[in-house]
Amino acid sequence: MLVQRLNRRWVQVKVPGCGWVRFRLSAKSKGAELPSAKTFRVTFRNGQWHVAFAVIPDPIVAPGTGEVIGIDRGVTITAALSDGRKLNCPQLTTKERAQIRKHERRAARAGKESPKKAAEYAKVARLKAREANRRKDWCEKTSTMLARTYGLVRFEKLNIKNMTRSAKGTFAEPGRNVAQKAGLNRAILAQGWGLLRQRTEHKAPGRVKDVPAPYTSLRCSACGWIEKNSRKSQAEFVCVSCGFTCNADTNAANNVAVGQGGIPRPRRSAGTGGVTAATSRSSAREPQPNWVGIPLF
Ligand SMILES: [Zn+2]
């Protein structure tokens, strides 16, 4: 037995090499059942010890309506849905950002290895953790909503790793638009695109598909015409062929919903030598544990 309940509030856990460690349940986890999990991790962040147990979420049963939703993830709108809804991931407020800068400035001015410097940096870390917490919370709520409401969730296939890769390049081959790309990188990471897809897949196993992304933003979701000039601006889409007018992100989400990423590029599979179309990939991965943090005292 790794975990023992002492009373309503206190629980102890046996940490290898350390012995029994008591911790107090947070308000949120008080009513929860004792984690039967065999795995947990102990971390120290923001001046507090935390213990987290692996909780594998139960898959959410499909609503049975067979409704399909397409999701286009972007910088201006975190997730545009094909039903016209626009969901935005909360970020830090202007005031909170100013606070971060203030504490960073104070830390920079404080003496080397002074307690003041450490305290200021701790404040910065706490504010940044707040942003991460908000993003995680939003991803949890949104993914639950998606898994509950729709039978099939289609995401446009993003290569976030490539998109967030350093824009600097090498000395011999310096990257172009370094500042712009760095800005986009930050925005992408801040929006938590990957997490939203991952958590939706955990909650709706087998009901999440990736749609190849090329041309989703340029294809007219009404007539299928693909043309660069149809996208008038960041927000406006007017088809040059049929005149269909729509919000550009919603139009892209519509394309994702029908699984139309534009021209599916033929992919030559190495094994058979045959040509297979790059169609949507099924999600059959095992659900991953969600680390639920409880502060240790
Ligand atoms: Zn059209």
Side-chain angles (χ1 to χ4, degrees):
M1 189 59 184
L2 280 164
V3 194
Q4 279 176 2
R5 180 158 237 156
L6 296 170
N7 54 43
R8 210 166 58 85
R9 274 226 93 160
W10 289 83
V11 178
Q12 63 177 7
V13 61
K14 198 166 195 178
V15 180
C18 191
W20 288 102
V21 176
R22 269 178 295 169
F23 65 92
R24 205 180 69 188
L25 292 172
S26 58
K28 231 189 218 170
S29 52
K30 235 196 296 188
E33 269 178 64
L34 255 194
S36 57
K38 287 170 191 72
T39 48
F40 59 90
R41 61 181 174 204
V42 178
T43 49
F44 182 75
R45 55 195 151 85
N46 305 329
Q48 266 193 329
W49 286 93
H50 295 258
V51 61
F53 294 92
V55 179
I56 292 170
D58 292 327
I60 294 167
V61 184
T65 53
E67 209 180 323
V68 179
I69 192 89
I71 298 171
D72 180 68
R73 288 164 288 180
V75 173
T76 5
I77 297 163
T78 319
L81 307 191
S82 53
D83 62 5
R85 274 196 287 172
K86 295 173 188 74
L87 309 175
N88 273 312
C89 182
Q91 289 178 305
L92 287 183
T93 61
T94 319
K95 212 171 166 183
E96 285 166 328
R97 282 181 205 286
Q99 268 179 323
I100 287 183
R101 283 195 299 275
K102 179 181 80 183
H103 291 304
E104 275 174 345
R105 222 163 33 234
R106 284 184 186 171
R109 279 182 201 148
K112 215 176 178 183
E113 279 165 45
S114 64
K116 165 91 173 154
K117 202 181 193 81
E120 292 296 338
Y121 273 134
K123 280 176 187 161
V124 171
R126 260 206 298 276
L127 280 161
K128 286 188 174 168
R130 191 186 286 177
E131 183 174 38
N133 287 339
R134 261 179 221 167
R135 184 167 65 232
K136 269 200 213 155
D137 178 63
W138 179 82
C139 284
E140 291 300 335
K141 284 172 180 162
T142 311
S143 56
T144 300
M145 183 275 287
L146 291 172
R148 274 195 194 140
T149 327
Y150 304 103
L152 182 65
V153 186
R154 284 198 169 120
F155 282 97
E156 89 293 10
K157 194 172 185 175
L158 291 173
N159 197 336
I160 297 171
K161 229 180 224 164
N162 274 357
M163 290 170 93
T164 53
R165 208 163 41 186
S166 167
K168 272 185 196 155
T170 57
F171 181 77
E173 235 178 287
R176 278 179 298 176
N177 305 331
V178 173
Q180 288 91 324
K181 273 192 190 159
L184 180 65
N185 286 353
R186 261 200 307 278
I188 289 168
L189 294 170
Q191 302 273 359
W193 288 341
L195 186 63
L196 178 65
R197 193 210 166 279
Q198 192 190 34
R199 296 302 292 153
T200 312
E201 192 177 354
H202 294 160
K203 290 167 189 175
R207 294 196 283 125
V208 173
K209 304 253 174 183
D210 290 312
V211 173
Y215 308 113
T216 40
S217 60
L218 305 180
R219 181 187 181 270
C220 169
S221 60
C223 71
W225 188 256
I226 297 168
E227 185 151 345
K228 212 172 147 190
N229 296 337
S230 295
R231 180 130 193 196
K232 300 291 177 209
S233 67
Q234 168 63 38
E236 203 188 2
F237 184 93
V238 180
C239 178
V240 291
S241 174
C242 73
F244 173 72
T245 308
C246 191
N247 173 281
D249 292 307
T250 309
N251 177 66
N254 282 334
N255 286 328
V256 175
V258 293
Q260 281 295 333
I263 309 155
R265 282 174 297 182
R267 194 186 290 155
R268 204 169 280 277
S269 58
T272 57
V275 177
T276 46
T279 45
S280 41
R281 187 174 61 86
S282 163
S283 60
R285 254 184 288 155
E286 287 295 300
Q288 297 293 305
N290 174 28
W291 296 97
V292 181
I294 302 165
L296 276 178
F297 290 88

